[in-house]
Amino acid sequence: MGVVAWLKSLFVLQLLIGFVFVVSGLIINFIQLCSCVLWPINKQLYRKINTRLSYSLWSQLVMLLEWWSGTECTLYTEKATVDKFGKEHVIIILNHNYEIDFLCGWTMCERYGVLGSSKVLAKHELLKVPLIGWTWYFLEIVFCKRKWEEDRETVFSGLNRLRDYPEYMWFLLYCEGTRFTEKKHQISMQVAESKGLPKLKYHLLPRTKGFTTTLQCLKGTVKAVYDVTLNFKDKQNPTLLGIVNGKKYKADMSIRRFAVEEIPDDEKECANWLHKLYQEKDALQEHYEKEGCFPGPTIKPKRRIWTLLNFLFWATLLLSPLINFAWDVFVSGSPLLIIGFMIFLIVASVAVRRLIGVTEVNKTGSSYGNTEAKKEN
């Protein structure tokens, strides 16, 4: 193990990075709360401010991926498609197989200038997660309980509200509804068999309602759908904890662009289009399994320095007083102060670990196979 790798594995450094993320996030959330007074006065100014505030928080996670772990991302797509990145409102369809798939999506958002305005159709439970859910609330993220009878009004109103969003946005959809595991896959394929649909090998059966509703509500605003299929070299199974430990991964992303005009308007035909798309995604994964790469030309977009500069700003602002305080505590020799500070460190480490736990595959649930899941497709 080299010196740099050893330093990255040190718990104290990881804790300091977590401290910067958590405290800066709380500061950003407070500023976002204060910005709410602008909503009735100037809605678009409120949105532009919150776009930049969210960038300041999310780019710290992107910094971990790009600069701390050095993870590389290669795109398999045409240059004509890349030339449109960051220049139009789009819906992103991404497979949901890995703990850091959202980070790989975010790093592409960052490199093409849409990280702060990126959106997602998120499960309602995430609204309660500090920093993540709170920041998304101020960003007008659409939350759903994955029960269409309860979500219908909320989803329609949330999506329609985004039609006049001033910044170019990438709206991410995990059409599979939950992260892939073998157990979920077995249940999902039972549902596919009962519906007379072709079975998938590397994906869960897509839930069509979220996609058809999003496309219907944002039509006229969204210009295209980007189909993104993600995989990792050498059968790597990346984790957020691995990123925090400085482990380097190599991500490959196949990206295909479909103009909205190419997708059927009729809800049933649109749902069939999505099912066909997932059959094509499955074929892409099969190709990757055999060849170790996706078909087509490759492009490696360069990482930008802004994520690193943003983190260094927050680290300078927050770590200096923390280190001075820690020094004063230990110099004082007061057992009460020292014990109190140690308890603070323990609480902070537990909080950071809980945030990481949100991404872990074994912590995610699935409703495939139950009555609600069948109603949604």
Side-chain angles (χ1 to χ4, degrees):
M1 180 184 291
V3 175
V4 174
W6 175 75
L7 287 172
K8 290 180 179 179
S9 68
L10 290 178
F11 175 73
V12 64
L13 285 183
Q14 297 172 5
L15 184 59
L16 290 176
I17 291 174
F19 172 83
V20 171
F21 177 75
V22 170
V23 177
S24 65
L26 292 174
I27 294 172
I28 288 169
N29 285 163
F30 177 73
I31 298 173
Q32 289 180 305
L33 180 62
C34 294
S35 73
C36 288
V37 298
L38 292 173
W39 179 266
I41 303 171
N42 191 330
K43 181 173 67 174
Q44 303 296 32
L45 176 60
Y46 165 89
R47 287 170 160 172
K48 290 179 179 180
I49 289 173
N50 277 276
T51 292
R52 281 141 189 84
L53 288 171
S54 66
Y55 175 87
S56 190
L57 185 60
W58 301 147
S59 66
Q60 294 181 50
L61 297 179
V62 174
M63 183 281 299
L64 284 177
L65 183 79
E66 296 182 339
W67 295 92
W68 184 258
S69 82
T71 291
E72 299 175 358
C73 291
T74 301
L75 306 183
Y76 289 76
T77 190
E78 302 290 338
K79 186 179 183 300
T81 298
V82 173
D83 288 342
K84 296 181 180 295
F85 287 179
K87 299 175 183 177
E88 58 183 355
H89 296 293
V90 299
I91 294 172
I92 306 287
I93 296 176
L94 178 63
N95 55 313
H96 205 7
N97 296 57
Y98 304 98
E99 290 185 10
I100 67 165
D101 47 30
F102 75 97
L103 259 186
C104 293
W106 275 359
T107 190
M108 288 301 107
C109 287
E110 200 289 320
R111 294 182 193 196
Y112 292 100
V114 293
L115 176 60
S117 57
S118 61
K119 309 294 180 188
V120 65
L121 188 61
K123 58 184 179 181
H124 192 267
E125 293 85 348
L126 289 174
L127 182 58
K128 303 173 185 177
V129 178
L131 305 184
I132 298 173
W134 299 348
T135 303
W136 275 352
Y137 174 80
F138 293 114
L139 272 179
E140 303 169 75
I141 295 298
V142 182
F143 293 95
C144 61
K145 297 178 181 178
R146 296 188 287 191
K147 296 180 181 178
W148 185 240
E149 291 77 9
E150 297 180 27
D151 289 330
R152 183 190 300 271
E153 185 175 344
T154 302
V155 171
F156 270 104
S157 62
L159 290 172
N160 285 324
R161 193 166 55 241
L162 295 175
R163 291 177 61 87
D164 64 343
Y165 208 80
E167 310 275 342
Y168 286 124
M169 63 177 175
W170 286 7
F171 195 104
L172 172 63
L173 286 177
Y174 288 119
C175 292
E176 295 165 89
T178 184
R179 192 174 278 121
F180 184 100
T181 66
E182 287 301 328
K183 182 178 179 181
K184 296 173 188 176
H185 181 250
Q186 291 174 9
I187 298 172
S188 179
M189 292 307 96
Q190 290 172 8
V191 175
E193 186 174 4
S194 69
K195 293 178 177 290
L197 295 168
K199 291 186 178 181
L200 305 174
K201 186 175 180 180
Y202 302 97
H203 299 84
L204 306 179
L205 191 68
R207 298 180 177 186
T208 60
K209 182 64 72 175
F211 174 71
T212 57
T213 301
T214 302
L215 192 60
Q216 176 187 347
C217 290
L218 295 181
K219 207 153 195 177
T221 298
V222 164
K223 300 300 181 184
V225 172
Y226 294 170
D227 170 50
V228 183
T229 306
L230 171 68
N231 215 322
F232 289 84
K233 293 289 188 186
D234 306 318
K235 299 185 183 297
Q236 293 174 312
N237 187 22
T239 64
L240 186 55
L241 195 56
I243 295 295
V244 171
N245 286 324
K247 186 172 181 179
K248 182 177 181 178
Y249 302 105
K250 293 183 178 180
D252 288 334
M253 306 173 76
S254 172
I255 303 178
R256 300 181 296 164
R257 182 184 183 275
F258 299 91
V260 167
E261 292 76 19
E262 300 176 27
I263 304 171
D265 289 324
D266 179 76
E267 183 175 354
K268 185 176 180 180
E269 292 181 8
C270 185
N272 290 335
W273 182 90
L274 184 64
H275 282 299
K276 183 181 177 183
L277 182 76
Y278 266 79
Q279 293 162 30
E280 294 172 357
K281 288 171 76 69
D282 225 46
L284 281 172
Q285 289 288 37
E286 182 69 23
H287 184 281
Y288 195 96
E289 185 74 15
K290 294 178 179 178
E291 305 294 334
C293 63
F294 291 115
T298 61
I299 296 174
K300 288 191 175 183
K302 294 181 179 180
R303 61 185 179 182
R304 305 194 305 172
I305 199 171
W306 303 115
T307 58
L308 183 60
L309 292 178
N310 175 74
F311 176 77
L312 291 176
F313 163 77
W314 284 111
T316 302
L317 182 68
L318 299 174
L319 291 184
S320 179
L322 175 67
I323 293 171
N324 289 335
F325 176 73
W327 175 257
D328 291 340
V329 166
F330 286 103
V331 167
S332 71
S334 169
L336 187 61
L337 285 177
I338 294 174
I339 292 173
F341 186 71
M342 295 303 294
I343 292 174
F344 166 76
L345 292 179
I346 293 172
V347 171
S349 64
V350 170
V352 171
R353 187 63 187 85
R354 286 287 182 87
L355 284 175
I356 292 174
V358 172
T359 70
E360 293 178 348
V361 170
N362 59 6
K363 300 290 182 66
T364 60
S366 173
S367 58
Y368 268 102
N370 66 18
T371 305
E372 288 81 0
K374 293 177 180 177
K375 288 179 180 178
E376 289 177 8
N377 285 288

